[in-house]
Amino acid sequence: MNKRKWFKLAALLMAAAVIGTGCQGQTEKEQGQKKGGSTVQIDFWAAPNPTQQAFWKKMADRYMEEHQNVKIKVSPMPESPSSEAGIQSAIAAGNAPVISENISRGFAAQLADSRAIVPLDQFEGFDDLIAKRQMKSTISTWKFADGHQYVLPIYSNAMLFGWRIDILKELGYNAPPKTYSEVIEVGKKLKEKYPNKFLWARADLAKPTWWARWFDFFMIYNAASNGTHFIDGNKLSADRDAGVKTLQFFADLSKNKLVLTKETKDPFESGTSVMSDLGPWTFPYWAEKFPEMKFNEKYVLSMPPVPDGMDPSQSKTFADTKGLVIYASATKEQQQAAFDFVKWVYSDPQNDLEWLKETNLPPARDDLSTNEAFVSYFEQNPQLKLYAENIPNAIPPMDNAKMVEIQELIGKEALNPVVKGEKTPEKAWEDMEKAINGVLK
Amino acid sequence: MGWLLASPYLVYSAVFFLIPLFWALYLAFTNWNLISPEYETVGMQNFIDAFFSPSVRAAFWVTYKFMLMFVPIVIAGSLFLALILHHLPRWKGLFAVGYFLPYLASGVASSIVVKGVISYNSPLNQFLRDAFGWDIDWLGSPILAPLVIALMMAWKFVGYYALLFLSGLESIPKEVYEAAEIDGAVGWKRVWHVTIPMLYPSFYTVTILAVGLMFGIFTEPYVLTGGGPEYATHTWQLEIYNQAFEKLNAGYGTAVAIINSIVTFASIFVFRKVLEKWGGKHGWE
């Protein structure tokens, strides 16, 4: 055989390998439908978290026992370098699952913008699902600008502030402050007694990290604005007055040296700071590492403080919440089967209870604090009760495909310079507005 | 027959290098967002945007800043370590492996450890505050943050590069030292005029590896600083990751990746020429 023939053979091998690789995803997908005649195969990607995977595996097994024609394969979503990047790569490679959890509203907006996911409200039985799971109020804030619901929230962490009540008591307070001036007053007293302690230790206040804004800026802004949407569709709809007040609050904290923006290890637990943004995921960690952190002894929880003159009982907060989406690349049959599975899971509050016990993440239900099914759980875990009560008061992330850029600009143009004392709140808000409008153009 | 034997490698290279390379070259001229089925070609727009982007400019300069800090530290450190290992009477292999271990450590794990060591309430900072009144913002200062990352990377790579220097040291013939001794070169003179020039191949390899490494930094700034403060640790890889996977600008991210590879190639080329000139002076071709 001469050189040319060998070259042709090598080229043929290469082409075969390329075609083989390219066709793999499609073949598997087709197999998903054809296998076993009328059996529908669903790939379910669970969050890369053992407790959530265990829950969904259990649910899938039970569902398959009752529904022989459905095969659900639960596997952890790839998270290299992040779960979002894993999903994006899978979509780009044509290997997206039929359904996945662990999707934030912001990421869903990016997926919906590219028509990679389907609107859930168009499935038969959607309204029935919402009614059965008692989540009409919670899901109302999840509606996208185009009027559709693309994500079914699974859990909702109404972000709260933890306060070191033991230290507050030393300062003469029996309850956490509720308004801006009360917070500053507590901070000043703290500094008088303990010059090396801080009100809030949060290095992210000085960084433009986009997702960090959920746990500082949006907690305070949502409380000040009564939950006014920051972005509506493709327009900046933020409440300017509330926004400037929010930035003024951060400026006052910084001016009085009440915030620590250096990296600090476990500042709240060690007592370096007396206030901290807390989600329910903290408590299992404390149970293991800081058993001395007892609710009502060492710490209490509260909704974010509000500007002076506002009613603190009406405070709103940020909802750290994720949910389920169904991918557009799946066949209609697979999509409907996935939706039916979800409907089955959420038709029984006992499944939500099981989720709560397994993951410690509050199910996104309006009736979480009142439903009989959860009463005994909250009696045993009183620290989670306030989270449950405030699910309807928690605002999910914005539904804009440019969320990352927008939130980066909130940090870069407004929050970071205000905390560093480089801009006045008014100037910072103005610069931020200008920059965000540039991105939304 | 040669083609047949080489075909597995050719197929592998085509699937994992050539096709992605041509695909990336194409993507760099589109506005694809990685997930949308629809996208358009945008000509040179991505490259023009990258040229005027403050974050790309920052990545460009930050890489050289890292290089200025990392390359001298890692070369001095690994040479020092290699000289110690070379003169050890026994257990040379054991110590060499010991110093090599940080290279195998996960970047995420070591970054988290470093974060703990330099945190505000760490014993180190507590001591600095109590003893000297120094309240240092290690990761909040645009000068200290890159230095912390450069030192951390030097710790990681010093053992690996020391092995390269060690093999260079071991290969210097004894006769060269004996001849130098007869000519009166002893002590520091011997190191400076004999050992270091004789180590030229190791210097060449280590410098090129260290320079190339600076264009691929990701994990450490991603975990420790997120690229801040004020872009002081914003590397090429962070920019590419942020654009492609966070902001879903895959086309633009690919354009930045191509610019990164051109800058990397050009920088390594310049370093090679400089090193070859230095080597030529000492008789290395």
Side-chain angles (χ1 to χ4, degrees):
Chain A
M1 220 184 269
N2 60 23
K3 263 186 188 176
R4 190 172 290 179
K5 278 185 181 166
W6 281 118
F7 184 75
K8 275 183 186 168
L9 183 68
L12 197 72
L13 275 170
M14 251 194 285
V18 172
I19 292 164
T21 317
C23 293
Q24 205 180 350
Q26 190 61 38
T27 315
E28 276 171 7
K29 208 166 267 178
E30 279 166 7
Q31 277 173 354
Q33 283 171 273
K34 286 174 187 166
K35 228 184 254 177
S38 60
T39 304
V40 183
Q41 186 166 320
I42 303 169
D43 281 326
F44 185 112
W45 279 5
N49 171 345
T51 55
Q52 282 168 253
Q53 280 165 47
F55 172 81
W56 285 111
K57 270 197 177 133
K58 218 183 291 171
M59 290 297 125
D61 289 344
R62 280 188 211 157
Y63 187 74
M64 284 188 292
E65 271 173 29
E66 289 179 28
H67 302 80
Q68 305 285 332
N69 59 334
V70 180
K71 214 168 167 47
I72 304 169
K73 190 181 156 208
V74 177
S75 50
M77 57 176 55
E79 51 166 347
S80 181
S82 65
S83 54
E84 284 84 358
I87 290 168
Q88 288 158 20
S89 306
I91 294 170
N95 292 324
V98 175
I99 178 170
S100 80
E101 62 155 339
N102 205 33
I103 305 293
S104 74
R105 189 167 177 253
F107 183 50
Q110 292 176 319
L111 296 174
D113 198 49
S114 297
R115 296 199 298 278
I117 52 175
V118 292
L120 301 178
D121 52 311
Q122 290 186 345
F123 284 101
E124 204 186 305
F126 179 78
D127 292 336
D128 190 29
L129 162 65
I130 301 305
K132 270 192 176 155
R133 204 190 177 205
Q134 298 283 331
M135 58 189 306
K136 207 174 169 190
S137 166
T138 303
I139 205 167
S140 64
T141 51
W142 280 71
K143 195 175 261 184
F144 280 56
D146 66 1
H148 289 298
Q149 296 283 8
Y150 289 89
V151 196
L152 186 82
I154 299 178
Y155 65 88
S156 181
N157 295 313
M159 289 300 298
L160 300 177
F161 280 109
W163 289 88
R164 284 291 299 257
I165 193 69
D166 53 341
I167 301 175
L168 289 190
K169 278 181 180 166
E170 284 178 37
L171 300 174
Y173 299 97
N174 287 317
K178 290 185 165 74
T179 62
Y180 291 174
S181 58
E182 284 174 21
V183 172
I184 301 293
E185 188 192 298
V186 169
K188 282 180 180 167
K189 278 204 175 169
L190 176 77
K191 279 285 177 191
E192 265 172 38
K193 190 159 182 165
Y194 299 110
N196 287 331
K197 286 192 191 297
F198 296 84
L199 200 71
W200 195 6
R202 187 168 167 78
D204 285 328
L205 287 173
K207 294 180 192 169
T209 318
W210 67 271
W211 52 263
R213 299 297 76 90
W214 288 334
F215 308 105
D216 43 45
F217 178 83
F218 277 108
M219 283 182 74
I220 305 292
Y221 167 79
N222 287 339
S225 67
N226 202 25
T228 302
H229 279 191
F230 197 81
I231 300 283
D232 200 3
N234 222 19
K235 273 193 182 145
L236 180 68
S237 58
D239 179 338
R240 188 188 185 279
D241 185 42
V244 172
K245 278 181 183 161
T246 299
L247 292 177
Q248 186 62 55
F249 175 60
F250 283 106
D252 291 341
L253 288 176
S254 176
K255 198 172 69 191
N256 289 292
K257 300 193 187 322
L258 303 180
V259 285
L260 175 64
T261 55
K262 296 186 180 89
E263 289 294 343
T264 318
K265 198 170 180 336
D266 302 318
F268 187 66
E269 296 81 348
S270 63
T272 303
S273 73
V274 298
M275 164 194 178
S276 179
D277 47 294
L278 289 182
W281 57 79
T282 315
F283 306 123
Y285 169 66
W286 280 355
E288 200 184 317
K289 299 271 181 197
F290 299 95
E292 71 277 13
M293 294 298 287
K294 299 257 187 259
F295 185 54
N296 283 337
E297 285 175 30
K298 282 268 182 185
Y299 74 95
V300 290
L301 297 163
S302 79
M303 282 289 274
V306 292
D308 296 355
M310 266 184 84
D311 178 3
S313 69
Q314 299 300 310
S315 180
K316 297 279 188 286
T317 188
F318 168 72
D320 171 70
T321 171
K322 287 190 172 172
L324 287 155
V325 296
I326 295 179
Y327 292 88
S329 54
T331 63
K332 292 269 175 244
E333 202 184 2
Q334 286 173 318
Q335 289 172 356
Q336 187 61 54
F339 182 80
D340 291 343
F341 167 58
V342 172
K343 200 176 153 195
W344 176 86
V345 171
Y346 291 122
S347 60
D348 184 355
Q350 288 305 322
N351 290 338
D352 267 329
L353 180 63
E354 216 164 307
W355 164 273
L356 184 59
K357 283 178 177 170
E358 192 99 47
T359 65
N360 229 21
L361 298 167
R365 306 176 61 108
D366 302 339
D367 65 343
L368 191 61
S369 59
T370 52
N371 192 312
E372 282 297 317
F374 306 101
V375 169
S376 71
Y377 181 81
F378 287 119
E379 273 169 10
Q380 286 162 26
N381 300 276
Q383 74 278 18
L384 293 178
K385 202 160 183 245
L386 198 60
Y387 288 97
E389 283 169 0
N390 281 295
I391 288 173
N393 293 324
I395 315 296
M398 61 180 79
D399 67 323
N400 192 287
K402 297 277 182 194
M403 176 192 68
V404 173
E405 281 100 323
I406 293 167
Q407 294 198 180
E408 203 174 80
L409 288 169
I410 296 172
K412 213 174 271 179
E413 297 292 340
L415 187 64
N416 303 158
V418 160
V419 167
K420 289 177 188 169
E422 294 166 356
K423 281 184 189 176
T424 63
E426 289 80 8
K427 168 89 173 93
W429 187 266
E430 209 175 283
D431 291 351
M432 182 202 74
E433 261 184 342
K434 210 169 140 191
I436 292 176
N437 283 329
V439 166
L440 290 173
K441 248 196 294 185
Chain B
M1 192 63 184
W3 282 105
L4 184 68
L5 292 173
S7 61
Y9 174 74
L10 291 175
V11 171
Y12 174 83
S13 302
V15 173
F16 293 105
F17 294 106
L18 285 177
I19 295 170
L21 177 67
F22 287 117
W23 178 233
L25 283 173
Y26 167 67
L27 274 188
F29 296 94
T30 70
N31 63 357
W32 192 39
N33 70 356
L34 203 66
I35 47 180
S36 174
E38 291 157 16
Y39 53 91
E40 296 159 1
T41 49
V42 292
M44 292 297 289
Q45 196 55 48
N46 287 334
F47 291 91
I48 294 166
D49 290 347
F51 188 77
F52 290 105
S53 157
S55 52
V56 172
R57 273 208 299 270
F60 179 86
W61 291 115
V62 161
T63 304
Y64 294 111
K65 190 164 70 180
F66 271 126
M67 215 180 275
L68 268 176
M69 293 173 180
F70 173 76
V71 176
I73 295 171
V74 83
I75 288 182
S78 53
L79 183 60
F80 180 68
L81 210 59
L83 284 167
I84 292 175
L85 287 170
H86 184 56
H87 288 99
L88 280 179
R90 51 168 62 187
W91 309 114
K92 206 180 273 187
L94 188 73
F95 279 98
V97 168
Y99 289 122
F100 182 74
L101 283 179
Y103 177 70
L104 303 175
S106 135
V108 175
S110 41
S111 300
I112 290 170
V113 170
V114 167
K115 210 172 191 174
V117 169
I118 59 175
S119 72
Y120 174 80
N121 48 1
S122 69
L124 169 73
N125 279 321
Q126 205 85 47
F127 168 74
L128 291 175
R129 272 198 302 276
D130 294 345
F132 307 104
W134 295 347
D135 192 5
I136 303 171
D137 192 359
W138 296 98
L139 298 177
S141 147
I143 296 164
L144 287 177
L147 188 64
V148 167
I149 291 172
L151 283 171
M152 198 183 141
M153 295 193 66
W155 165 78
K156 191 172 173 151
F157 282 89
V158 90
Y160 172 37
Y161 295 163
L163 289 185
L164 298 175
F165 277 122
L166 184 64
S167 68
L169 285 169
E170 304 271 318
S171 64
I172 300 174
K174 272 185 186 163
E175 293 79 7
V176 178
Y177 285 118
E178 284 164 6
E181 208 174 320
I182 292 166
D183 290 338
V186 286
W188 182 242
K189 260 187 182 173
R190 196 174 84 153
V191 173
W192 193 245
H193 293 291
V194 180
T195 310
I196 290 181
M198 289 298 285
L199 277 178
Y200 170 74
S202 306
F203 268 110
Y204 186 89
T205 310
V206 168
T207 310
I208 297 301
L209 284 176
V211 167
L213 185 74
M214 293 298 97
F215 292 91
I217 307 173
F218 175 72
T219 311
E220 290 79 6
Y222 180 72
V223 176
L224 287 174
T225 60
E230 284 134 33
Y231 288 133
T233 58
H234 189 76
T235 62
W236 283 102
Q237 303 309 317
L238 271 183
E239 174 67 8
I240 294 165
Y241 172 78
N242 286 344
Q243 290 296 343
F245 294 109
E246 298 269 9
K247 297 177 182 172
L248 295 193
N249 296 324
Y252 176 74
T254 314
V256 176
I258 288 169
I259 298 170
N260 171 30
S261 59
I262 294 168
V263 173
T264 308
F265 179 81
S267 303
I268 289 178
F269 182 79
V270 170
F271 270 91
R272 271 185 55 190
K273 287 291 157 201
V274 171
L275 284 169
E276 281 164 10
K277 208 172 172 186
W278 177 67
K281 272 188 191 170
H282 293 90
W284 293 92
E285 290 299 319

